[in-house]
Amino acid sequence: MNIKVGDRVLISPDLTMRKDWCEGTVIQVENNPFVGIVVSAETEDANIFFGRADMFKLLKGETCLQ
């Protein structure tokens, strides 16, 4: 999976503590030497969630073209 800043993603309920996966926009991607790729994403209600890349699903057809 190749997530970039600006991509639309689904965020795992394990991070959000919500019942279902929720949509967000990637605001930062970091290569952490201890856990690997860490993604930060912001939801429509301005909450920011971050975690390992496997906690996010890239929305199909929503890749950033920048």
Side-chain angles (χ1 to χ4, degrees), residues 20-65:
D20 296 316
W21 289 72
C22 64
E23 291 187 27
T25 302
V26 176
I27 58 172
Q28 184 177 11
V29 179
E30 171 190 349
N31 189 0
N32 184 299
F34 299 104
V35 296
I37 303 297
V38 174
V39 176
S40 299
E42 183 174 10
T43 59
E44 293 286 326
D45 57 1
N47 287 314
I48 296 174
F49 298 97
F50 64 94
R52 294 183 328 268
D54 63 347
M55 304 297 264
F56 299 84
K57 293 181 186 176
L58 188 61
L59 285 172
K60 296 185 188 337
E62 296 287 341
T63 302
C64 178
L65 298 176

Side-chain angles (χ1 to χ4, degrees), residues 5-30:
V5 171
D7 286 346
R8 296 286 297 161
V9 292
L10 291 174
I11 306 168
S12 171
D14 292 334
L15 291 178
T16 64
M17 300 302 185
R18 297 179 183 174
K19 188 170 74 169
D20 296 316
W21 289 72
C22 64
E23 291 187 27
T25 302
V26 176
I27 58 172
Q28 184 177 11
V29 179
E30 171 190 349

